Amino acid sequence: MADAKLPTEADIEKLPRWARVAFAARCARRALPLFKTHWPDAPARHLHALEKAVSVAEHAAADAAAAAAADADAAAAAADAADA
């Protein structure tokens, strides 16, 4: 892990929107334990809201990635049909 390089803002800007959402959700998921550690008496509703927000972002990114793949497949099929 010592060799790990953090992405720059420019690196992140190059990602498709859904990939940026997935990256942000992953960062938030990894930070949740810090919230729990540093605010152990936080109201349960706060922790639940954070977990729900991360989950929604994860699912949105996954759905967008699947839709992008389906669009790419459809475009390839259309190009193949046009060539035929």
Side-chain angles (χ1 to χ4, degrees):
M1 188 80 172
D3 293 342
K5 179 182 169 248
L6 295 176
T8 65
E9 189 173 336
D11 293 334
I12 296 168
E13 286 175 355
K14 292 176 189 174
L15 297 172
R17 181 174 298 164
W18 64 264
R20 289 192 303 259
V21 172
F23 177 73
R26 182 173 183 213
C27 292
R29 173 73 60 199
R30 293 183 71 177
L32 276 175
L34 295 173
F35 178 85
K36 295 174 189 176
T37 298
H38 293 285
W39 195 9
D41 299 329
R45 70 180 191 280
H46 291 348
L47 181 57
H48 178 71
L50 288 171
E51 289 173 341
K52 180 69 174 173
V54 172
S55 180
V56 167
E58 289 169 338
H59 286 96
D63 290 347
D71 289 347
D73 290 345
D80 289 345
D83 289 341

